[in-house]
Amino acid sequence: MATSSSWTINMTARSNALCSCGASICIRTSWTEANPGRHFLCCSDKCGLLRWLEPPVSCPRCERVVRALLRSSKHKDELVRLKALEAAENGVEARRLRYVLGFSWFLFVLYVLMSWCIVFLMLTWLCKVLFNVMQPLLHVL
């Protein structure tokens, strides 16, 4: 625990340092297969300065665990990317379905209006026929 906190203090003290090119030095973590989880110093202007802050992992089991975690993390990143792609595709599909639904409602309303128009025309025609049939009867009375 004490080494961990003293190491953190040393890291923050080093982070204020400047590179030989005059840029600030950054502390980063490597997530490559060769050096997973290792911290290193690098130039913020990327002039090529690189110095490891920790020795390489010498415990084979620790190395296997860190590499397995790294692969798992990459797998999860791939799953997140695939889910985002699927969500985008679902968004396009949902938009298409909204258009189809809107168009089908338009057709339904058009059908109802046309039905009402046909009913109105039929009633108008029926009234004319009845009026023509009833007119001679009214003159008789």
Side-chain angles (χ1 to χ4, degrees), residues 65-81:
V65 168
V66 170
R67 286 195 173 126
L69 288 172
L70 181 61
R71 280 191 298 276
S72 171
S73 173
K74 286 180 181 177
H75 178 69
K76 286 181 183 175
D77 290 344
E78 182 65 20
L79 285 176
V80 167
R81 188 186 69 76

Side-chain angles (χ1 to χ4, degrees), residues 56-101:
V57 178
S58 58
C59 171
R61 184 177 184 284
C62 295
E63 195 172 321
R64 281 194 311 272
V65 168
V66 170
R67 286 195 173 126
L69 288 172
L70 181 61
R71 280 191 298 276
S72 171
S73 173
K74 286 180 181 177
H75 178 69
K76 286 181 183 175
D77 290 344
E78 182 65 20
L79 285 176
V80 167
R81 188 186 69 76
L82 288 174
K83 284 185 180 182
L85 183 62
E86 183 179 334
E89 288 174 354
N90 287 342
V92 169
E93 181 68 17
R95 193 173 327 124
R96 188 184 71 78
L97 288 175
R98 276 196 303 271
Y99 289 139
V100 168
L101 182 64

Side-chain angles (χ1 to χ4, degrees), residues 11-77:
M11 279 182 59
T12 54
R14 288 182 192 162
S15 66
N16 296 331
L18 294 176
C19 178
S20 59
C21 71
S24 62
I25 293 178
C26 301
I27 298 172
R28 307 231 173 162
T29 304
S30 169
W31 292 112
T32 62
E33 281 287 324
N35 297 296
R38 254 178 107 186
H39 295 92
F40 63 95
L41 292 175
C42 67
C43 176
S44 61
D45 281 344
K46 301 185 181 22
C47 72
L49 173 73
L50 172 75
R51 186 185 324 138
W52 294 107
L53 293 175
E54 307 164 338
V57 178
S58 58
C59 171
R61 184 177 184 284
C62 295
E63 195 172 321
R64 281 194 311 272
V65 168
V66 170
R67 286 195 173 126
L69 288 172
L70 181 61
R71 280 191 298 276
S72 171
S73 173
K74 286 180 181 177
H75 178 69
K76 286 181 183 175
D77 290 344

Side-chain angles (χ1 to χ4, degrees), residues 95-115:
R95 193 173 327 124
R96 188 184 71 78
L97 288 175
R98 276 196 303 271
Y99 289 139
V100 168
L101 182 64
F103 186 68
S104 66
W105 272 104
F106 170 75
L107 290 177
F108 175 74
V109 168
L110 186 65
Y111 171 77
V112 168
L113 290 175
M114 294 293 286
S115 298

